[in-house]
Amino acid sequence: MSERYSRQILFSGIGEKGQHTLGEKHVLLIGAGALGSANAELLVRAGVGKLTIVDRDYVEESNLQRQQLYTEKDVEQKLPKAAAAKKHLEEINSDTEVKVHVIDATAQSLQPLVPDVDLIMDATDNFETRLILNDLSHKYNIPWIFGACVGSFGMSYTIIPGKTPCLNCLLRTIPLQGMTCETSGIIGPAVQMTVAYQSAEALKILTENRGALRETFVSFDLWSGQFQSIKTGRSKKEDCLTCGTAASYPFLQPENSTKTAVLCGRETVQVRPPNPVDLELERLGRDFSAMGYEVKANPYLVSAQKDAERIVVFKDGRALVHGTKDIVHAKSVYQRLMG
């Protein structure tokens, strides 16, 4: 066994057998931003056999404060995050096979990538994609690890099909949605702590130490010093459409994905959420203002503009992203600002 992993092998929870097993495993990582780049680096340094990364974005200067894998040169070259991650990860450990896909993570694009993986890692920034991962995990019986962070707050949960409640179940009992990094900012330590919880669970699964897995939903606020570890057993619902007795995997169906359409004759893309919502427009306007957008509002909509980017959001969650005909870009803007 390589000297590279000698200190990890000395850890009784892994040992030589665990290290060998880890080197045969394949992880699918969705997202190469803050959580994604840090998880990717930890897994590659640990010696995972194969890592597949999916991300649709490119490296920007504002990423460097918390996305530890990237450099100013990546920003100058406007490299896709997945491509930049591959470059740096292969310099860290050439023994790990790193494959990347610069694509939007949808039910259609992800489904072909899932069947031969041992673990799915969540490093996304929106719940639509996470619910797709949740369905894929259960359809193909592959564990996945949820993680999210914003401000000084973070949370993580490990989902094992057939054993734990799924994300769809948890959303009924634990308030998970709300702030985004765009509206509330984020500090690096919140990223690192979330990644620590995620990657530790990943190592347990990948070295086949499932008996050591944490069985609680963890959340914390590093700024206030608060910490919660919530038992989730009672959250599991028999009627859940993802993990229940009559599972139908609703988030893999095209009709349940965010709808987009380029408006005829205009550089504008309309984005609609899967289901109508009832937004608090006054609060949304304040959030946009805090992000440096020029905001105009009335009882029916909020219009926010910063530089060349302009988005108009209606009370039912529908939005018009102006200045583009690129559906993937418009969807990215929508999810970045709306969560």
Side-chain angles (χ1 to χ4, degrees):
M1 190 68 67
S2 170
E3 175 67 18
R4 174 193 289 268
Y5 309 115
S6 60
R7 301 303 185 272
Q8 188 164 276
I9 290 170
L10 285 173
F11 176 65
S12 60
I14 295 180
E16 287 198 16
K17 181 180 178 182
Q19 188 65 50
H20 178 77
T21 302
L22 176 63
E24 297 179 332
K25 298 297 186 180
H26 180 190
V27 176
L28 176 61
L29 175 65
I30 311 302
L35 293 179
S37 60
N39 270 303
E41 182 173 340
L42 279 165
L43 289 171
V44 166
R45 288 188 183 279
V48 70
K50 183 177 179 180
L51 179 66
T52 298
I53 302 173
V54 175
D55 192 277
R56 66 188 175 191
D57 206 356
Y58 62 90
V59 184
E60 299 179 275
E61 186 177 18
S62 62
N63 300 150
L64 299 180
Q65 166 255 345
R66 65 197 179 281
Q67 298 183 18
Q68 65 181 49
L69 202 55
Y70 307 125
T71 66
E72 291 179 351
K73 190 172 182 179
D74 298 327
V75 175
E76 292 170 7
Q77 296 177 346
K78 294 193 181 301
L79 283 179
K81 289 181 182 179
K86 177 179 173 67
K87 178 184 71 171
H88 296 305
L89 292 170
E90 288 178 342
E91 291 172 348
I92 290 169
N93 189 350
S94 59
D95 290 336
T96 296
E97 180 183 357
V98 181
K99 288 199 168 184
V100 299
H101 298 271
V102 184
I103 56 174
D104 193 17
T106 66
Q108 291 70 37
S109 66
L110 293 179
Q111 207 149 182
L113 305 179
V114 170
D116 70 335
V117 305
D118 300 290
L119 174 66
I120 301 170
M121 294 287 286
D122 165 35
T124 66
D125 59 2
N126 67 88
F127 274 84
E128 179 183 343
T129 307
R130 291 184 178 114
L131 288 167
I132 291 171
L133 299 184
N134 193 51
D135 273 5
L136 289 172
S137 162
H138 287 79
K139 180 177 179 179
Y140 293 98
N141 193 32
I142 298 167
W144 77 285
I145 302 174
F146 162 78
C149 53
V150 65
S152 57
F153 177 79
M155 49 191 167
S156 179
Y157 183 63
T158 302
I159 297 172
I160 307 295
K163 181 178 180 182
T164 67
C166 75
L167 183 64
N168 208 12
C169 293
L170 291 181
L171 286 173
R172 303 193 202 182
T173 56
I174 300 176
L176 300 181
Q177 303 186 60
M179 302 178 294
T180 72
C181 293
E182 295 292 328
T183 60
S184 304
I186 188 167
I187 57 173
V191 175
Q192 298 301 318
M193 182 65 79
T194 305
V195 169
Y197 279 112
Q198 284 188 285
S199 57
E201 293 289 278
L203 287 176
K204 296 173 192 177
I205 291 172
L206 296 171
T207 58
E208 299 182 357
N209 284 291
R210 292 198 183 190
L213 288 170
R214 187 186 67 247
E215 296 183 351
T216 58
F217 180 96
V218 168
S219 66
F220 57 87
D221 188 329
L222 292 176
W223 206 257
S224 66
Q226 295 179 340
F227 174 85
Q228 279 188 307
S229 182
I230 305 170
K231 293 181 178 180
T232 60
R234 293 183 180 179
S235 298
K236 192 168 176 61
K237 308 295 182 184
E238 288 301 314
D239 63 344
C240 176
L241 296 179
T242 295
C243 70
T245 54
S248 60
Y249 313 118
F251 296 96
L252 301 184
Q253 308 307 316
E255 62 268 22
N256 289 329
S257 61
T258 297
K259 312 298 191 300
T260 56
V262 179
L263 299 191
C264 182
R266 298 167 61 186
E267 284 199 348
T268 300
V269 177
Q270 176 177 269
V271 184
R272 290 190 291 113
N275 300 294
V277 295
D278 186 14
L279 294 176
E280 187 181 338
L281 293 180
E282 185 176 344
R283 175 183 173 183
L284 185 65
R286 290 197 301 269
D287 289 343
F288 285 161
S289 293
M291 289 185 277
Y293 284 81
E294 181 182 346
V295 174
K296 296 180 180 179
N298 60 41
Y300 307 100
L301 60 83
V302 172
S303 174
Q305 182 163 357
K306 181 165 66 174
D307 301 325
E309 185 174 281
R310 180 172 172 242
I311 183 171
V312 177
V313 183
F314 298 84
K315 195 168 178 59
D316 64 356
R318 181 173 60 89
L320 300 178
V321 180
H322 295 277
T324 184
K325 292 184 179 180
D326 185 335
I327 287 177
V328 172
H329 173 71
K331 189 175 177 182
S332 175
V333 170
Y334 182 87
Q335 291 179 337
R336 172 166 54 85
L337 295 180
M338 301 297 291

